[in-house]
Amino acid sequence: MSSTPSDLEIARAARIRPIGDIAAAAGINAEAVEQYGRYKAKIDPARLQAPAPAGKVVLVSAMSPTPAGEGKSTTTVGLADSLARAGHKVMIALREPSLGPVLGMKGGATGGGYSQVLPMDEINLHFTGDFHAITAANNALMALVDNHIYQGNELNIDPRRMTFKRVLDMNDRALREVVIGLGGPTQGVPRQDGFDITVASEIMAVFCLATNLVDLRERLGRITFGYTFDRTPVTVADLGVQGALTLLLKEAIKPNLVQTIAGTPALVHGGPFANIAHGCNSLIATQTARRLVDIVVTEAGFGADLGAEKFMDIKARTGGVAPSAVVVVATVRALKMQGGVAKEQLAIPDVAALEAGIANLRRHVRNVEKFGVPPVVAINRFASDTPEELDWLLAWCAAEGVPAAVADVWGRGGGGDGGDELAALVAQAVSGPSSFRHLYPLELPVEDKIRVIAQEIYGADGVDFSVPALKRLADIERNGWSQLPVCMAKTQYSFSDDASRLGAPKGFTIHVRDLLPKTGAGFIVALTGAVMTMPGLPAAPAAMRMDVDESGNPVGLT
């Protein structure tokens, strides 16, 4: 039996400080702190006595994810702890975990080993109820829409042209397509409907891109949920319920304060997926952190082709939070998988496979440079990595002119020295020159924005638009939405829209099957390939390992 403690065992053994002490050490005045028990709190930005946002942003991204795991959240936490250890005033800004992946394939999302945010079990489960509030607001909207249709349909809403779905924070493939309103005249008007996962909801995106409560209300009002019989867009403001939705979200919109094992303050707030949404924590949390510290370490979901691109072209454009440096997390294991090695064979030393998979990391690093931001490679160390493999990877980074360091923050985090070298490189990058730029101007037509992303970031030869997507392009132009940025919905496992094409594929086309205008969030979602907005559970869900003991302590949560 292994003597290595699990993430849950490490978290349970950690010394966790009262959240009031963490808030005070971070310079948060008591009037802005609303405690949720001993170890969690919400921060009210309206009551925060702090200057305008000025802290620099470090964005943590990664190479394309694999089943081997890259440890992006672990690296984010370990890097922040190491920057604090070096004397920098630092805060973390992370997304909240979704229950779908927690109970599904991924498990928890609070870091790992000695680089975790605490209390990990509460953050991974219901936390402060933000996702429940977002789910309630989304489903309240759809209940109000269907009630409006049932009560006479004054707005002339066409039930066949609804573009908004109900949501659930769970992976549940059985709910992707449903029919509602069956059972007779008193049960409502029958129509085809479906469920998305909560993190794909436009209300989640609005929640994470709003700058304050007033902006939240205005964005909610701009949401287009369907069309009339004459194909005119219908918005939440037309229905007159943006105030009620804001009321449901008024407490959730306040960022959540927690801490790392080492005591570094962390704001964990919001959680859109990066493969079907824009993949970044809330703008309010990031800006709140920038008011309090010199360096904010945040992350964007999945690889740099998804989360990082969306951070640059959507979040940074919306909120003025351009990063001063981007950390690209890589592992020897993941690179070998990109080179064709099966997961069961990853512990076998294989520099040749590492070399075969390095094209994936190269493309991600070069993509970061296209935004005018310096990349730093963080090699997240695993126990099976050999000195020969690590030395080869460091030498490759040096030959490419990219700063790189091995980080052992899983085993030597929590205030230890496992991330010191990485922190020094990041601090140097942050203090150096940066000439941030977006990938495309908003004036480009939507189809050209998609082509720029597909060709410049994915390495595609071109883009193929389905007939429905071409019709939607015409609708977007007619309704005046063509100057919105694009949010690509694409598999996270490949630069292409085919999850089986690993490494850095060439000679492929991105297939856009539909376009979804998100007028409240302020972007156009391009659905590509077979990506789903309601995931399914795997054959052996992580929930099968979970339980609770007689004392109420969680078991099997990772």
Side-chain angles (χ1 to χ4, degrees):
M1 179 178 292
S2 173
S3 60
T4 303
S6 68
D7 291 346
L8 183 58
E9 290 169 334
I10 291 171
R12 190 178 297 165
R15 174 183 173 269
I16 186 167
R17 297 166 57 189
I19 199 63
D21 294 352
I22 298 295
I28 302 172
N29 51 294
E31 295 79 11
V33 180
E34 301 173 4
Q35 293 200 28
Y36 276 57
R38 296 194 66 195
Y39 305 120
K40 308 186 297 287
K42 280 193 167 291
I43 305 302
D44 186 349
R47 295 176 179 269
L48 185 63
Q49 296 172 6
K56 293 187 175 182
V57 174
V58 173
L59 176 64
V60 179
S61 187
M63 57 180 287
S64 299
T66 70
E70 285 64 60
K72 180 155 49 63
S73 296
T74 300
T75 302
T76 299
V77 175
L79 169 61
D81 284 343
S82 296
L83 286 167
R85 169 182 160 90
H88 298 280
K89 192 173 183 183
V90 64
M91 183 174 279
I92 299 169
L94 291 176
R95 292 174 297 163
E96 301 177 48
S98 164
L99 279 175
V102 168
L103 299 179
M105 181 182 294
K106 182 177 180 180
T110 56
Y114 292 92
S115 293
Q116 299 187 56
V117 284
L118 306 174
M120 72 88 85
D121 55 330
E122 296 180 28
I123 297 170
N124 277 315
L125 298 175
H126 304 285
F127 202 17
T128 59
D130 294 345
F131 282 20
H132 297 304
I134 292 166
T135 302
N138 185 106
N139 295 342
L141 169 59
M142 295 319 296
L144 289 161
V145 168
D146 283 309
N147 181 65
H148 180 90
I149 295 171
Y150 173 77
Q151 298 292 352
N153 201 2
E154 182 181 345
L155 290 174
N156 203 32
I157 300 166
D158 187 346
R160 303 165 303 173
R161 292 192 170 91
M162 303 294 292
T163 58
F164 214 86
K165 295 182 178 182
R166 288 166 167 83
V167 298
L168 188 70
D169 191 33
M170 196 62 56
N171 293 5
D172 194 346
R173 61 173 56 85
L175 294 178
R176 288 172 183 162
E177 300 289 343
V178 301
V179 177
I180 62 173
L182 300 179
T186 62
Q187 307 303 316
V189 177
R191 69 176 181 87
Q192 187 174 353
D193 197 8
F195 280 75
D196 290 333
I197 191 167
T198 296
V199 289
S201 167
E202 184 175 358
I203 291 185
M204 174 66 82
V206 164
F207 182 92
C208 287
L209 289 170
T211 55
N212 52 45
L213 197 61
V214 172
D215 185 43
L216 174 66
R217 188 179 189 278
E218 292 175 352
R219 285 177 176 272
L220 291 169
R222 293 199 298 267
I223 290 174
T224 298
F225 60 79
Y227 296 83
T228 64
F229 283 98
D230 62 2
R231 303 195 180 188
T232 301
V234 190
T235 68
V236 170
D238 293 331
L239 195 63
V241 299
Q242 65 269 38
L245 303 187
T246 308
L247 182 63
L248 290 172
L249 297 171
K250 73 178 184 69
E251 296 303 316
I253 199 65
K254 301 170 184 176
N256 306 299
L257 178 69
V258 289
Q259 62 190 286
T260 70
I261 288 176
T264 303
L267 294 178
V268 180
H269 197 224
F273 282 172
N275 60 339
I276 52 180
H278 75 283
C280 306
N281 73 296
S282 80
L283 180 58
I284 287 178
T286 303
Q287 293 290 53
T288 297
R290 292 184 66 223
R291 294 173 63 183
L292 294 163
V293 297
D294 300 324
I295 299 176
V296 178
V297 182
T298 189
E299 72 170 35
F302 295 126
D305 58 322
L306 288 169
E309 184 273 319
K310 294 170 184 179
F311 187 101
M312 311 290 196
D313 284 322
I314 297 175
K315 181 172 178 176
R317 202 188 296 264
T318 299
V321 289
S324 297
V326 174
V327 174
V328 181
V329 179
T331 69
V332 167
R333 291 161 53 88
L335 285 167
K336 289 194 288 191
M337 281 203 82
Q338 294 291 343
V341 176
K343 184 178 179 181
E344 297 74 22
Q345 304 296 317
L346 291 177
I348 301 173
D350 192 342
V351 172
L354 190 63
E355 186 173 0
I358 200 67
N360 184 270
L361 179 59
R362 177 186 286 113
R363 186 172 290 179
H364 283 296
V365 167
R366 297 306 173 214
N367 284 345
V368 168
E369 293 174 338
K370 292 177 180 179
F371 295 95
V373 183
V376 176
V377 171
I379 304 169
N380 185 24
R381 184 171 191 167
F382 280 70
S384 61
D385 298 346
T386 66
E388 183 184 13
E389 291 170 321
L390 293 171
D391 288 345
W392 186 93
L393 186 49
L394 285 170
W396 178 88
C397 290
E400 292 285 321
V402 181
V406 175
D408 185 7
V409 293
W410 192 97
R412 291 160 53 198
D417 62 357
D420 284 359
E421 187 177 352
L422 174 63
L425 291 178
V426 170
Q428 183 177 1
V430 165
S431 63
S434 175
S435 53
F436 174 78
R437 55 186 175 271
H438 302 296
L439 190 67
Y440 55 80
L442 293 179
E443 292 74 24
L444 273 185
V446 169
E447 58 195 289
D448 289 341
K449 293 169 189 167
I450 293 171
R451 287 193 180 95
V452 168
I453 296 170
Q455 293 173 342
E456 292 292 322
I457 301 299
Y458 306 158
D461 289 343
V463 180
D464 175 61
F465 293 90
S466 70
V467 172
L470 290 172
K471 291 180 179 178
R472 196 78 75 175
L473 281 171
D475 291 341
I476 288 168
E477 181 69 28
R478 182 175 61 252
N479 291 317
W481 300 328
S482 59
Q483 292 199 355
L484 295 177
V486 169
C487 180
M488 301 294 289
K490 180 185 72 67
T491 177
Q492 65 270 31
Y493 297 114
S494 173
F495 280 108
S496 74
D497 55 18
D498 178 354
S500 67
R501 299 194 65 173
L502 302 182
K506 297 179 181 179
F508 66 91
T509 298
I510 292 292
H511 303 89
V512 177
R513 71 175 196 266
D514 203 357
L515 296 164
L516 305 178
K518 304 293 185 180
T519 53
F523 53 67
I524 307 293
V525 173
L527 292 171
T528 72
V531 68
M532 295 286 186
T533 52
M534 169 55 88
L537 289 168
M544 303 294 290
R545 304 188 297 269
M546 297 178 186
D547 206 336
V548 61
D549 65 21
E550 294 179 356
S551 300
N553 298 310
V555 175
L557 187 62
T558 58

